[in-house]
Amino acid sequence: MGRGRTLEYPKTPVNKVNRYNQRATYDLEQIHGIINTSSVVHVSFNTPDPSNPFPVTLPMVGVAASYEHPSASLGEPLDIYLHGYVSSRLMNLSRNAETESKTNTPDASASPTGLPVTISATKVDGLILTLTPNTHDINYRSAIVYGYASLVTDVGEKLWAMEQVTNSVLRARWRFTRVPPDSAEMQSTSILRVSVVGGSGKIRVGGPRDEQKDLVRDDLRENIWTGVVPVYECLGEPVPHKGNRVKDVPAHVLEYVTEMREANEKYAADAIADQSQD
Amino acid sequence: MGRGRTLEYPKTPVNKVNRYNQRATYDLEQIHGIINTSSVVHVSFNTPDPSNPFPVTLPMVGVAASYEHPSASLGEPLDIYLHGYVSSRLMNLSRNAETESKTNTPDASASPTGLPVTISATKVDGLILTLTPNTHDINYRSAIVYGYASLVTDVGEKLWAMEQVTNSVLRARWRFTRVPPDSAEMQSTSILRVSVVGGSGKIRVGGPRDEQKDLVRDDLRENIWTGVVPVYECLGEPVPHKGNRVKDVPAHVLEYVTEMREANEKYAADAIADQSQD
């Protein structure tokens, strides 16, 4: 990752990663990659209710992409498109924030319109088993992106975004289904575009890292197994619906399932071998 | 789940789930179960910086448990213990919030002390492939818990919580390692206890749910495959560390890996078969 020219999110007090036994990254390609390989992301935001001190967090389908530059790579600046499937509350807040934003802007320097949201995605890659609890750890990849969410109103952008969202669930699925959505479906679907102002990632790779005080003790090393349990998201054999009439599972499904299964397992194995932090 | 007496979190404007093609749950057993089977949870909170409108979200190890009632089941009221591994910022905010809380309480009715945090965990169980993009969906389990985070200062509770956290990474691991932590390790470890004031969950199970307008079209049904791709977290074969001297992978590791692998795969399959929402 990060080959050739790499763009990074600026380090600010908001997104600065406190390093601790992990690698911080501000590399756009890595951060966008974590988001786009996560079927579900968490979207956190605050409600206007002053009696509620808790951020609201919703699981949503999210994809990093650019409508203005559809051919943009993961390493370039992208918006995050969110399918507002389960969050009429978020949709309303975004609509309100948009109308208010001219007069009530939390961070003028970022010239934001919309609702401030924090998007997070984490993938667990392995369980690190060491000689003592304090050195136990987890291999993982985590991405956090900050930005301002607005409802997509342009019909062309909305249709394009719906295709990105559908294909983020299963690659290329859109063109193998009944499209385009009819007017009722376009009406009933809400898509949020998050204009990203910053982000960061944390990545832990490698194996056990025990401390010298334990490594020198034969009584520990001869009795405590140390190593890594690889963890990865597995895609199983596709299960046809009872109403399905197509005999064979189509290639676009089989290829994606096989590819993702192998890629995820490979990442977990490569993460263990990666000693770059040791 | 939810057998016999079931306790539920109260429905409030904060945690009320907007139902849409999914089952909302306030059942403690289900919500705590999602958190305790997630190796990593997301913790969101606000910073005091008025120029930062974005919630901060950190990946942390979290476990629902009760120090006062260690034998409490998942269906009973529990605290959430967080390992403050990567979040010195969160630790400092909690320390400050605690000292200020007497004079500055966001929600007196909940008699909180500590920093308001929102803990979220989501597990993806399947990809729902239907006749048209708008009916595509994801089988998933999501849990959100709200509460007030405070640093654990009592040595007994802290030691107990460190054991819970360690065993949440791999069941029973604590007693097979060098314990107890020495004084330096106790000093350097920070544990947060979140006093939970509310929570909710969302669960989507079942298969494709197409609309009548598409189901009546033979041209669609004879050309578009519909079904589910099961998704589950897979634990791979344990990989010994280069410095490991114990010949065989111990039973507590092998049993956990096998059990979790089978349980996760079974849940994804059962979720497809579950027509309770159809």
Side-chain angles (χ1 to χ4, degrees):
Chain A
M1 292 194 280
R3 286 175 220 72
R5 180 194 65 148
T6 64
L7 288 181
E8 294 203 333
Y9 285 118
K11 296 172 186 60
T12 71
V14 177
N15 73 336
K16 186 171 182 316
V17 172
N18 300 307
R19 288 161 173 270
Y20 182 61
N21 194 32
Q22 82 221 328
R23 179 172 56 207
T25 180
Y26 300 88
D27 178 278
L28 269 63
E29 182 175 10
Q30 291 195 31
I31 293 167
H32 294 153
I34 292 167
I35 289 171
N36 283 11
T37 54
S38 299
S39 306
V40 173
V41 300
H42 283 146
V43 181
S44 295
F45 56 97
N46 287 302
T47 66
D49 175 3
S51 74
N52 172 27
F54 304 108
V56 172
T57 300
L58 299 171
M60 300 178 76
V61 176
V63 56
S66 172
Y67 180 59
E68 288 71 19
H69 309 286
S71 63
S73 75
L74 285 178
E76 297 181 73
L78 300 171
D79 298 317
I80 310 290
Y81 286 89
L82 300 173
H83 188 5
Y85 210 46
V86 296
S87 55
S88 58
R89 185 164 42 176
L90 177 54
M91 293 299 155
N92 296 333
L93 285 171
S94 303
R95 199 179 284 106
N96 300 340
E98 225 170 334
T99 54
E100 293 166 6
S101 57
K102 293 288 172 293
T103 56
N104 172 23
T105 293
D107 178 3
S109 66
S111 64
T113 59
L115 178 75
V117 299
T118 300
I119 300 164
S120 54
T122 299
K123 304 169 85 72
V124 174
D125 301 312
L127 312 179
I128 312 297
L129 306 182
T130 60
L131 295 172
T132 194
N134 275 48
T135 45
H136 276 61
D137 206 341
I138 292 176
N139 276 348
Y140 71 101
R141 291 163 283 165
S142 183
I144 311 291
V145 170
Y146 308 84
Y148 293 88
S150 309
L151 273 171
V152 174
T153 51
D154 176 84
V155 174
E157 181 177 10
K158 188 174 181 178
L159 186 61
W160 175 85
M162 289 164 74
E163 180 171 356
Q164 308 309 309
V165 166
T166 302
N167 290 342
S168 80
V169 174
L170 190 138
R171 187 180 57 214
R173 178 63 180 174
W174 177 270
R175 68 170 185 268
F176 294 99
T177 63
R178 190 268 293 162
V179 285
D182 60 34
S183 58
E185 291 165 340
M186 289 297 290
Q187 287 292 331
S188 66
T189 303
S190 295
I191 299 279
L192 285 173
R193 179 189 55 254
V194 178
S195 300
V196 176
V197 297
S200 64
K202 290 200 273 311
I203 300 175
R204 201 278 184 195
V205 295
R209 288 165 208 144
D210 273 300
E211 294 185 36
Q212 203 53 31
K213 67 183 175 189
D214 293 315
L215 288 170
V216 294
R217 286 181 53 181
D218 290 339
D219 62 322
L220 301 181
R221 300 192 58 181
E222 275 150 30
N223 292 291
I224 303 171
W225 186 88
T226 62
V228 184
V229 176
V231 178
Y232 52 93
E233 189 172 74
C234 185
L235 279 64
E237 293 309 305
V239 179
H241 187 42
K242 53 184 185 296
N244 169 65
R245 295 187 193 166
V246 177
K247 184 167 171 297
D248 300 322
V249 180
H252 73 279
V253 176
L254 281 182
E255 283 166 12
Y256 179 79
V257 167
T258 307
E259 206 176 294
M260 292 302 291
R261 185 191 296 152
E262 291 172 356
N264 293 345
E265 183 170 7
K266 183 178 188 303
Y267 182 95
D270 292 347
I272 298 171
D274 184 344
Q275 303 298 315
S276 59
Q277 289 175 64
D278 297 336
Chain B
M1 292 193 280
R3 286 172 220 72
R5 178 194 66 148
T6 63
L7 287 181
E8 294 204 333
Y9 285 119
K11 296 174 187 59
T12 71
V14 177
N15 73 337
K16 186 169 182 314
V17 172
N18 300 307
R19 287 161 175 268
Y20 182 60
N21 194 33
Q22 82 222 326
R23 179 173 56 208
T25 180
Y26 299 88
D27 178 277
L28 269 62
E29 182 175 9
Q30 291 195 30
I31 293 167
H32 294 154
I34 292 167
I35 289 171
N36 284 11
T37 54
S38 299
S39 306
V40 174
V41 300
H42 283 146
V43 181
S44 296
F45 56 97
N46 287 302
T47 66
D49 175 3
S51 73
N52 172 27
F54 304 108
V56 172
T57 300
L58 299 171
M60 299 178 78
V61 176
V63 56
S66 172
Y67 180 59
E68 288 71 18
H69 309 286
S71 64
S73 74
L74 285 178
E76 297 180 74
L78 301 171
D79 298 317
I80 311 290
Y81 285 89
L82 299 174
H83 188 5
Y85 211 44
V86 296
S87 56
S88 58
R89 184 163 43 176
L90 176 54
M91 293 300 154
N92 295 333
L93 285 170
S94 303
R95 199 178 285 106
N96 300 339
E98 225 169 335
T99 55
E100 293 166 7
S101 58
K102 293 289 173 292
T103 56
N104 173 21
T105 292
D107 178 3
S109 67
S111 64
T113 59
L115 178 75
V117 299
T118 299
I119 300 164
S120 53
T122 298
K123 304 168 85 74
V124 174
D125 301 312
L127 312 179
I128 312 298
L129 307 181
T130 60
L131 293 172
T132 195
N134 274 50
T135 45
H136 276 61
D137 206 342
I138 292 176
N139 276 347
Y140 70 101
R141 291 162 283 166
S142 183
I144 311 291
V145 170
Y146 307 85
Y148 293 88
S150 309
L151 273 172
V152 173
T153 51
D154 177 84
V155 174
E157 180 177 10
K158 187 174 181 178
L159 187 61
W160 175 86
M162 289 164 74
E163 180 171 356
Q164 308 310 309
V165 167
T166 303
N167 290 343
S168 79
V169 174
L170 190 139
R171 185 181 59 215
R173 178 62 180 174
W174 177 270
R175 69 170 184 267
F176 294 99
T177 64
R178 191 267 295 160
V179 286
D182 60 33
S183 58
E185 291 165 340
M186 289 298 289
Q187 287 292 333
S188 67
T189 304
S190 295
I191 299 279
L192 285 173
R193 178 189 58 254
V194 178
S195 300
V196 176
V197 297
S200 63
K202 290 200 274 312
I203 300 175
R204 201 280 182 192
V205 295
R209 290 164 208 146
D210 273 300
E211 294 185 36
Q212 203 53 31
K213 67 184 174 188
D214 292 315
L215 288 170
V216 295
R217 286 180 53 179
D218 292 337
D219 61 323
L220 300 181
R221 300 192 59 180
E222 275 150 29
N223 292 291
I224 303 172
W225 186 89
T226 62
V228 184
V229 176
V231 178
Y232 52 93
E233 189 173 75
C234 185
L235 280 63
E237 292 310 304
V239 178
H241 186 43
K242 54 182 183 299
N244 170 64
R245 295 186 193 166
V246 177
K247 185 169 171 299
D248 300 322
V249 180
H252 73 279
V253 175
L254 281 182
E255 284 166 10
Y256 179 79
V257 167
T258 308
E259 206 175 294
M260 292 302 292
R261 186 190 296 152
E262 291 172 356
N264 293 346
E265 183 170 8
K266 183 177 188 305
Y267 182 95
D270 292 347
I272 299 171
D274 184 344
Q275 304 299 314
S276 60
Q277 288 177 64
D278 297 337

